[in-house]
Amino acid sequence: RDHCVTGVQTCALPIFMLIEPPFEITSLQGHDVEWRKESTIDDTLRYAVFCDQARMLFNAVPCSWFTIWLSHYIMKRRSGFLARADVPLLEFSLQMEGSADYIIKPAGHYMTQKAHFNVSYFPYMESKTWLDKGMQATTLDIHFPVTVLQEQFCDMYPSLNRLIKSIESKAPAVLFNSPLKATPYMIELARTIIYLLQQNTVNQFLLEISVYCLLHHSFTLREQMENKGSKISWAYAERIYLIQHFLDASFLQKLTIPELARQAHMGQVQFKKLFKEITGLPPLRYRNQRRMSKASLDLAYTQNPVKNIAYELGFTTPGNFSTAFSDAFRYSPRTYRKLYS
């Protein structure tokens, strides 16, 4: 325990060389919980947890200044679990899939839903978590020392000073009062991290860059909320982020500004203005840019026929797709594939 406290508060390396679970799990229904540990690729360890109600998988990946815990939960029935940690934890946590209901001592009670995140510090943790029947959930947790905040981010983000003061006084602290909706950029970074973890050899350099960018963007959002001169409330910004997520995944649907504005619970004029201010592009142009970006990746990294790519992205004919792609990249889809695949 003393070794872990030192790792969190003064240096990055020792705590991450332990690679033991920083928590213990028991069933709130009194069922037996079995832990199994097995080595996987490189330094990655996987902990499989079994009990009567659920199966949980925890993958631990150590890096130079952080540890990633990628967790998967598969529930047979609605179940409750108690997780305890006797050492301080400073973590970024992103709920990738599913949702969960938490009662955390000493932090309080909150719900976290798909694509929501927060940065939290617990001097110790006792967490009661309830997960629904049939649910499959995935969370991405990144544990890192407070020295990273002090040395890498505080000069750029003055709002972090309050978080650090709470940590120094050994009081629980969170970056946001409740989990915040992640932006599409953050989701892309998280998916990149998960993709890297799934490779036969983990590219530590790309992994560290992705984690740094993910934390950097989280702190940027906090700083934007601190900006009293901002003309956009965070409630409205979250609605725009939700529409961004929708546009990123809805290539087959024919979308209109009135429909998107209704989904954002805004008037059309307000929606178009805020969307462009936050993303830098009008809504339909943003959607087209995302379609072209997806098309370029499919052409470069898959053997999917051009006509299939066209239909999957919502184009009525391959010819329409070819024209749009050529306007965006100055090459036809087939020429682009030859040059970059």
Side-chain angles (χ1 to χ4, degrees), residues 116-127:
H116 280 69
F117 79 98
N118 210 342
V119 176
S120 308
Y121 170 77
F122 305 111
Y124 69 92
M125 183 186 71
E126 184 177 295
S127 171

Side-chain angles (χ1 to χ4, degrees), residues 1 50-51 58 70 87 92 97 114 126 143 149 173 218 225 227 268 273 286-287 289-291 306 316 326 330:
R1 173 174 175 169
F50 299 89
C51 73
F58 304 98
L70 180 62
V87 298
F92 166 94
E97 298 290 340
K114 178 180 178 179
E126 184 177 295
H143 297 176
L149 296 183
S218 304
M225 293 180 69
N227 181 7
Q268 295 180 43
K273 179 181 178 182
Y286 173 87
R287 179 179 184 245
Q289 184 186 76
R290 298 300 298 161
R291 287 206 295 180
V306 172
T316 55
S326 298
R330 295 183 298 175

